[in-house]
């Protein structure tokens, strides 16, 4: 079974995808980590991300070289890496380099039972034939509070206003890019998590998945 989960940052899609995969014994791929890994490695190699188009060849090479599962996950959650990931993700060549890796994971998940992929273009581009698709969203103020709480564990210098500005900028870039923008697939089930906790979202989604099994 293939489950596609899309939505903006801090919508709750990652927590949902992970817990859903555990509940059903499926494998989980957080596709944002792929873009984050490309961005982290590019920053480490001093690739100029002010002009991602001009650096397409170097970025594409980094993307091609990624092997799943990622061995090195250091630094992927940093705010700076998240912003850079959104920039590298706007390049069609980088996205193309990562498509086959994501599809291959979904087609042959290690458990052999099923796969849950979360990201921005899973239902629209990566797995258009997924068995079930969800689009998870929440009010931007709620998302900013969640992400601020999460990031402040490692970095208490970030203000809520900075996190809100960061999410707003990233949303705009992810939704307006020419290639694979963040939009709900026509057949995605829309869930607003603004007033739901993680357990409520999981129960709701799990019951919908059970109906499709
Ligand atoms: O889900 P995340 O915050 O870890 O994703 C980081 C960035 O990667 C996000 O701003 C946009 C990009 N991304 C994408 O374009 N397509 C995906 N399937 C997943 C992430």
């Amino acid at each position: 079974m293939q489950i596609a989960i899309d939505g903006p940052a801090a919508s709750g899609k990652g927590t949902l995808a992970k817990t859903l995969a555990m509940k059903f014994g499926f494998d989980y791929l957080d596709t944002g980590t792929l873009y984050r890994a490309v961005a982290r490695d590019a920053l480490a190699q001093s690739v100029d991300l002010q002009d991602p188009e001009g650096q397409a060849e170097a970025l594409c090479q980094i993307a091609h070289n990624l092997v799943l599962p990622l061995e090195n996950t250091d630094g992927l959650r940093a705010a700076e890496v998240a912003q850079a990931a959104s920039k590298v993700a706007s390049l069609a060549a980088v996205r193309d380099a990562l498509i086959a890796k994501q599809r291959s994971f979904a087609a042959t998940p290690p458990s052999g039972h099923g796969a849950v992929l979360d990201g921005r273009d899973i239902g629209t581009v990566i797995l258009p034939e997924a068995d079930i698709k969800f689009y998870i969203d929440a009010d931007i103020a709620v998302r900013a509070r969640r992400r601020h709480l999460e990031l402040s564990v490692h970095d208490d210098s970030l203000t809520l206003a900075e996190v809100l500005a960061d999410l707003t900028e990233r949303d705009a870039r992810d939704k307006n890019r020419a290639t694979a923008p963040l939009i709900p697939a026509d057949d995605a089930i829309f869930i607003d998590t603004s007033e739901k906790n993680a357990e409520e979202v999981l129960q709701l989604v799990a019951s919908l998945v059970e109906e499709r099994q």
Side-chain angles (χ1 to χ4, degrees):
M1 186 173 204
Q2 297 186 341
I3 302 177
I5 301 182
D6 290 300
S11 57
K13 67 182 190 314
T15 303
L16 168 65
K18 200 184 306 163
T19 52
L20 192 65
M22 275 172 60
K23 188 173 174 76
F24 287 94
F26 294 168
D27 293 289
Y28 167 47
L29 178 62
D30 170 357
T31 66
T33 60
L34 305 182
Y35 296 92
R36 285 173 183 258
V38 173
R40 176 202 57 194
D41 294 353
L43 290 170
Q45 293 172 29
S46 303
V47 176
D48 179 13
L49 295 180
Q50 294 299 101
D51 171 29
E53 294 280 347
Q55 304 295 331
E57 208 172 307
L59 292 169
C60 206
Q61 196 56 52
I62 295 172
H64 269 295
N65 290 344
L66 285 187
V67 177
L68 292 184
L70 289 179
E71 258 190 19
N72 176 6
T73 56
D74 295 346
L76 294 184
R77 305 313 306 173
E80 173 200 25
V81 170
Q83 267 299 346
S86 172
K87 289 181 187 162
V88 305
S90 66
L91 285 182
V94 167
R95 305 198 72 83
D96 286 348
L98 298 175
I99 286 180
K101 297 180 202 291
Q102 296 171 77
R103 286 188 182 150
S104 145
F105 180 92
T108 53
S111 69
H113 297 308
V116 183
L117 275 68
D118 80 352
R120 303 292 188 290
D121 63 340
I122 308 304
T124 51
V125 176
I126 304 298
L127 302 175
E129 306 298 329
D131 297 286
I132 189 161
K133 302 176 184 177
F134 297 96
Y135 189 89
I136 310 297
D137 208 345
D139 187 83
I140 180 96
V142 174
R143 293 196 282 126
R145 276 200 301 277
R146 285 180 187 159
R147 187 48 52 91
H148 182 243
L149 200 66
E150 191 184 304
L151 288 171
S152 57
V153 173
H154 303 290
D155 180 0
D156 60 8
S157 67
L158 279 170
T159 66
L160 179 60
E162 283 168 335
V163 173
L164 177 64
D166 183 82
L167 285 185
T168 306
E169 186 185 334
R170 216 141 63 85
D171 277 2
R173 199 183 297 111
D174 295 343
K175 288 179 177 173
N176 296 314
R177 65 182 175 224
T179 310
L182 169 63
I183 39 164
D186 290 340
D187 50 351
I189 299 166
F190 185 92
I191 293 174
D192 185 336
T193 69
S194 305
E195 292 178 11
K196 291 185 172 61
N197 64 35
E199 185 57 31
E200 288 168 330
V201 178
L202 175 64
Q203 292 310 330
L204 171 63
V205 168
S207 64
L208 293 166
V209 169
E210 271 158 14
E211 281 172 20
R212 295 273 172 114
Q213 273 188 316

